[in-house]
Amino acid sequence: MNKLNLAYCNECEDLVEFSIQDEVVNETYKGVRIRYEFPVARCKCCNSEVAASVDYNYEKSEARISAYKKSQGIIGLDEITEIMEKYNVGKEPLALVAGFGSVTIKRYFEGAIPATEYSDRLKELLDNEDSFEKLFELNCDKLNDVSIKKIKQRLVEIDQIKASKINQIANYIIIKMEEVTPLALEKLMAFSNGVNYALNGNRLIGEECQAWQHGYVYPSIYVKYKKYGYKPIDNGINSTHGAMLSLVSEDEIKAIDMVISTFGLYSPKTLEMISHRQEPWIEQRVGCKDTDPCNKSIDEESVKEYYIKNRLDSEENISKYISRVLGEIRSQRAFRF
Ligand SMILES: [Zn+2]
């Protein structure tokens, strides 16, 4: 039996059935006209808005405040969260680094709206690692040892990312994928490099890629993440601002996003099998048995030719390509048994 989902309608003065649809809400809030999208619930009898769940009004007021902040150029909670993730810092230590009262950030998460000056300072911290470091040095005597140690370590990691495009790309894929093993990461990086030839015409990753037994490998990335083995990498820095992607262009990010939303749907082993069907890998393995180690360089010209020839320049084309390759793998296996 279906349990009916009911809500109380003030107009009908009764429990009623309702439907939910995304609407653009136009309102005045604190004297400002704002617009935002919200899944609005309406009574099926009279079309009045009803609270579809206990959290409905709370969620709507969050959407309202967030739209107001955006209209005023005030930093949003998502961006404040990103600052905390970027510098590995909690609400209170962040408030202290920024030179605010210790509970200021906590209050923002409870609904208080940052004053423009405070908002601007937080935005500066999100975009500019040097500003963060400067304020951290100025205010670190107010922090406890654990926070200081965590922040210092993170600033070292950010420094490494600042100077290295390959590390920026690896970090971006790690945070976008949410769960990615070292094996899958290597494949997604090599596929991104290939798709970037088809989409933008140039090389994405300057480092040498090698034709290892399990497919493409960038040795520096292998060394950096090998301790994770077959487990997902969990040390991504969840931020895309400032130095995090400073060496990657928007067009290049499009190529990487395309790879994440296509190849990224498959298991590490499947990605390895796909890489084993690609000419740039196969041609470096001539004379090797399946299990032989090999560190020959992948020929970038051959990658470029392969990805352009297979037209791997849109999500649609890539998805078709993956289906085709997986079909070939299946039929080959059926033949073997
Ligand atoms: Zn009604």
Side-chain angles (χ1 to χ4, degrees):
M1 219 173 72
N2 279 333
K3 197 180 144 201
L4 275 180
N5 216 353
L6 300 174
Y8 187 78
C9 174
N10 287 321
E11 295 301 317
C12 300
E13 297 186 324
D14 203 355
L15 286 170
V16 295
E17 287 184 49
F18 61 88
S19 60
I20 295 180
Q21 242 172 355
D22 282 336
E23 289 183 20
V24 176
V25 183
N26 285 288
E27 284 178 358
T28 302
Y29 181 70
K30 291 184 180 265
V32 177
R33 292 293 297 167
I34 52 166
R35 278 163 67 88
Y36 57 96
E37 254 191 50
F38 192 75
V40 174
R42 294 198 177 276
C43 166
K44 280 193 178 174
C45 305
C46 73
N47 208 36
S48 302
E49 187 172 2
V50 295
S53 69
V54 281
D55 296 326
Y56 185 87
N57 289 324
Y58 176 76
E59 280 163 9
K60 197 166 179 207
S61 96
E62 279 207 321
R64 180 182 298 127
I65 290 171
S66 148
Y68 171 78
K69 286 186 196 159
K70 214 171 251 173
S71 76
Q72 302 302 101
I74 293 170
I75 193 164
L77 293 181
D78 51 341
E79 290 166 300
I80 299 179
T81 303
E82 190 179 329
I83 300 175
M84 296 195 294
E85 292 182 346
K86 180 171 183 175
Y87 298 106
N88 200 14
V89 60
K91 290 177 184 140
E92 188 177 321
L94 173 59
L96 297 173
V97 169
F100 305 162
S102 62
V103 296
T104 308
I105 302 287
K106 194 167 153 259
R107 290 219 180 103
Y108 296 156
F109 280 88
E110 290 163 356
I113 294 175
T116 310
E117 186 198 338
Y118 281 43
S119 164
D120 289 348
R121 188 171 310 164
L122 289 172
K123 282 184 170 181
E124 171 77 13
L125 296 183
L126 180 57
D127 286 330
N128 191 328
E129 299 77 23
D130 294 338
S131 299
F132 184 94
E133 201 165 347
K134 232 181 254 170
L135 277 180
F136 170 62
E137 275 160 20
L138 191 71
N139 292 318
C140 75
D141 57 330
K142 296 173 194 151
L143 303 179
N144 65 36
D145 291 346
V146 176
S147 296
I148 292 174
K149 201 175 151 202
K150 272 168 63 185
I151 294 171
K152 275 190 174 163
Q153 192 189 331
R154 181 52 63 86
L155 287 173
V156 171
E157 289 166 13
I158 290 177
D159 252 359
Q160 285 167 0
I161 284 192
K162 208 176 198 171
S164 157
K165 188 177 183 185
I166 194 170
N167 282 324
Q168 291 181 9
I169 294 169
N171 186 68
Y172 182 72
I173 294 176
I174 291 167
I175 60 174
K176 281 274 162 166
M177 287 286 295
E178 288 175 9
E179 246 190 53
V180 68
T181 64
L183 184 72
L185 174 64
E186 296 279 7
K187 307 304 162 273
L188 295 173
M189 292 183 69
F191 296 153
S192 298
N193 187 56
V195 167
N196 197 61
Y197 280 121
L199 190 67
N200 300 314
N202 48 22
R203 185 170 177 173
L204 174 67
I205 300 173
E207 272 82 344
E208 171 192 73
C209 183
Q210 298 181 350
W212 288 23
Q213 176 196 346
H214 296 295
Y216 304 111
V217 168
Y218 291 95
S220 70
I221 297 300
Y222 173 78
V223 170
K224 187 166 179 188
Y225 295 110
K226 70 176 175 189
K227 67 172 178 192
Y228 291 98
Y230 291 98
K231 292 197 203 88
I233 299 166
D234 67 359
N235 74 342
I237 302 177
N238 198 2
S239 172
T240 54
H241 282 82
M244 302 309 292
L245 284 173
S246 57
L247 302 170
V248 189
S249 74
E250 275 182 33
D251 286 339
E252 290 173 333
I253 289 173
K254 269 186 211 151
I256 302 168
D257 283 341
M258 222 175 252
V259 167
I260 289 171
S261 59
T262 53
F263 289 108
L265 301 175
Y266 294 88
S267 74
K269 215 62 204 167
T270 305
L271 298 179
E272 177 182 331
M273 287 194 288
I274 294 171
S275 72
H276 289 180
R277 307 283 306 184
Q278 296 194 339
E279 280 154 29
W281 184 83
I282 295 168
E283 68 196 14
Q284 300 305 327
R285 299 285 303 181
V286 173
C288 292
K289 281 188 230 108
D290 283 357
T291 51
D292 280 352
C294 158
N295 56 6
K296 281 198 206 151
S297 303
I298 296 290
D299 175 11
E300 288 291 324
E301 276 308 309
S302 165
V303 177
K304 185 174 179 179
E305 198 188 309
Y306 182 85
Y307 278 76
I308 292 175
K309 182 179 76 190
N310 283 285
R311 299 183 42 210
L312 301 182
D313 57 2
S314 71
E315 272 187 35
E316 200 192 336
N317 289 349
I318 296 172
S319 302
K320 279 188 198 153
Y321 162 86
I322 295 172
S323 308
R324 177 164 61 76
V325 173
L326 294 180
E328 286 167 13
I329 294 171
R330 263 192 300 273
S331 57
Q332 204 182 34
R333 284 193 166 174
F335 180 72
R336 227 188 270 160
F337 288 119

